[in-house]
Amino acid sequence: MPIVTPLTKLLGIRVPVIQGGMQWVGVPQLAAAVSNAGGLGILTALTQPSPDALRAAIRETRKLTSKPFGVNITLLPAINPPDYAGYARAAVEEGVKIFETAGSNPGELIKYFKSNGCIVVHKCTTIRHAKSAEKLGVDVLSIDGFECAGHPGEDDIGGLVLLARAAKELEVPFIASGGLADGRGLAAALALGAAGANMGTRFMCTVESPIHQNIKDKIVASTERDTIHIFRTLHNTARVFKNKVAVEVVAIEKRGNAKFSDVQHLVSGARGRLVYENGDADYGIWSAGIAVGLIDDIPTCEELLKRLEREVQEIVGGLNRIVVSAKL
């Protein structure tokens, strides 16, 4: 039996799973593989050096899949911000109809996408921000718990509570993000009221993921204790893989009164990108959620999504057997 949720109906997908829009990872080969397997693949706009490069990536993805896929645009704090409007315009002009947005002040982007008849999934780490995004007209909210890779916010609230609150308080469908890597997690998210799940770290560790085999092997060998938070003292917390560079960043922060300039040379995006290219897990900062503790293989995207479907069906069936009518 297929898994039918408001997410599968809205996006036209078979499995209620969205591949997270990860920097340097959300490229055509992965996005197309996820979409072909029944989920929603996501291209990461800022992985591309320019809006024109994003156009080329969208066209390449279309050659690889006829299924729906989306584009992620994450608004980052920066002295010289990227051409967000240019990336958005390029994607819309190329016919993309599904967007994942994240970061602060997404109002203008969301307004532009909605005015062009697009579906918007917005990532939030608090219910307060989720309600604000609802007012802006988003179609789906991605609720990111403290377990997630990247930026989990500053409130340290786990997904279990965030999702339960979302079910009580949100009007639009929402999906779970953070700490999800298998059918048990997806089934739990559905039980908590989510319409599906966003998985990032899990898709990093697939055959079609563009990252170096050494990094995939490192994820398989890791446990849930192998991530660490950096930028805590800078109030811009990020969960990354616990390697030598990340530990050094935390040590600098613990000295007190650390400024971003004190760690900038360690956390540059260029170094992080090279981790995925050269396979040296200690070369730079790279994102990983605590879902690494649940990952013990490197399947194709098709194998992974079929497994997720099967596991959810088995788990839900098992739960049905728990609830029985009592005969007095």
Side-chain angles (χ1 to χ4, degrees), residues 53-64:
L54 176 59
R55 288 181 187 273
I58 291 168
R59 293 172 187 176
E60 182 181 349
T61 306
R62 283 230 170 82
K63 292 178 182 177
L64 299 173

Side-chain angles (χ1 to χ4, degrees), residues 2 51 70 116 264 266:
N116 282 278
Q264 188 171 4
L266 295 171

Side-chain angles (χ1 to χ4, degrees), residues 7 10-21 30-43 67-72 96-100 119 121 175 197-199 203 305:
L7 187 74
L10 178 67
L11 302 184
I13 58 178
R14 192 186 79 247
V15 188
V17 172
I18 296 177
Q19 163 238 320
L30 178 59
V34 174
S35 290
N36 283 334
L40 184 77
I42 296 284
L43 290 176
K67 302 292 181 63
F69 64 90
V71 169
N72 165 282
V96 174
K97 287 297 183 182
I98 304 171
F99 288 88
E100 178 187 65
I119 295 168
V121 180
I175 61 174
N198 179 300
M199 296 185 184
F203 281 112
L305 287 175

Side-chain angles (χ1 to χ4, degrees), residues 216-235:
K216 297 180 187 181
D217 292 340
K218 177 68 73 172
I219 291 172
V220 168
S222 297
T223 76
E224 64 277 10
R225 300 178 68 247
D226 288 317
T227 71
I228 192 171
H229 284 116
I230 61 174
F231 304 157
R232 292 288 263 175
T233 64
L234 302 176
H235 306 294

Side-chain angles (χ1 to χ4, degrees), residues 8-323:
T8 60
K9 293 177 181 178
L10 178 67
L11 302 184
I13 58 178
R14 192 186 79 247
V15 188
V17 172
I18 296 177
Q19 163 238 320
M22 299 165 282
Q23 183 73 332
W24 316 127
V25 182
V27 296
Q29 72 188 61
L30 178 59
V34 174
S35 290
N36 283 334
L40 184 77
I42 296 284
L43 290 176
T44 308
L46 298 188
T47 291
Q48 303 301 325
S50 68
D52 283 340
L54 176 59
R55 288 181 187 273
I58 291 168
R59 293 172 187 176
E60 182 181 349
T61 306
R62 283 230 170 82
K63 292 178 182 177
L64 299 173
T65 185
S66 60
K67 302 292 181 63
F69 64 90
V71 169
N72 165 282
I73 299 183
T74 298
L75 299 160
L76 302 169
I79 297 173
N80 298 305
D83 182 9
Y84 295 120
Y87 282 106
R89 185 169 58 253
V92 168
E93 289 176 355
E94 289 298 319
V96 174
K97 287 297 183 182
I98 304 171
F99 288 88
E100 178 187 65
T101 57
S104 59
N105 300 319
E108 288 302 313
L109 268 186
I110 292 170
K111 181 179 179 181
Y112 174 72
F113 292 141
K114 295 308 299 177
S115 69
N116 282 278
C118 300
I119 295 168
V120 179
V121 180
H122 184 67
K123 296 174 72 68
C124 299
T125 60
T126 69
I127 301 302
R128 175 170 57 90
H129 290 148
K131 287 184 172 182
S132 296
E134 270 189 330
K135 293 176 181 177
L136 293 172
V138 303
D139 301 278
V140 180
L141 288 154
S142 178
I143 304 299
D144 288 26
F146 188 57
E147 305 90 343
C148 71
H151 296 279
E154 305 303 312
D155 294 334
D156 299 0
I157 308 298
L160 197 63
V161 169
L162 279 179
L163 295 174
R165 278 205 62 200
K168 285 183 176 182
E169 301 190 37
L170 300 182
E171 300 295 329
V172 303
F174 64 92
I175 61 174
S177 181
L180 301 171
D182 59 15
R184 193 170 299 281
L186 177 53
L190 296 173
L192 282 163
N198 179 300
M199 296 185 184
T201 305
R202 174 64 270 194
F203 281 112
M204 288 173 65
C205 208
T206 56
V207 169
E208 296 90 350
S209 166
I211 68 179
H212 198 284
Q213 184 66 33
N214 288 355
I215 305 304
K216 297 180 187 181
D217 292 340
K218 177 68 73 172
I219 291 172
V220 168
S222 297
T223 76
E224 64 277 10
R225 300 178 68 247
D226 288 317
T227 71
I228 192 171
H229 284 116
I230 61 174
F231 304 157
R232 292 288 263 175
T233 64
L234 302 176
H235 306 294
N236 189 30
T237 300
R239 187 187 292 278
V240 300
F241 189 80
K242 189 177 182 180
N243 62 7
K244 292 178 181 178
V245 181
V247 170
E248 185 177 351
V249 170
V250 172
I252 292 170
E253 289 191 74
K254 285 182 177 178
R255 293 174 194 164
N257 300 315
K259 300 184 290 295
F260 180 71
S261 57
D262 296 328
V263 298
Q264 188 171 4
H265 63 292
L266 295 171
V267 302
S268 72
R271 286 183 62 166
R273 182 174 189 174
L274 282 172
V275 167
Y276 296 148
E277 294 179 5
N278 65 24
D280 181 354
D282 285 314
Y283 190 81
I285 295 293
W286 52 285
S287 290
I290 62 173
V292 293
L294 300 171
I295 296 171
D296 55 16
D297 66 350
I298 307 171
T300 65
C301 290
E302 182 175 3
E303 289 168 341
L304 174 61
L305 287 175
K306 283 184 177 178
R307 182 199 304 167
L308 289 171
E309 282 185 294
R310 184 180 67 253
E311 289 176 344
V312 168
Q313 290 163 357
E314 291 172 353
I315 291 164
V316 171
L319 291 174
N320 284 337
R321 289 191 291 274
I322 292 173
V323 181

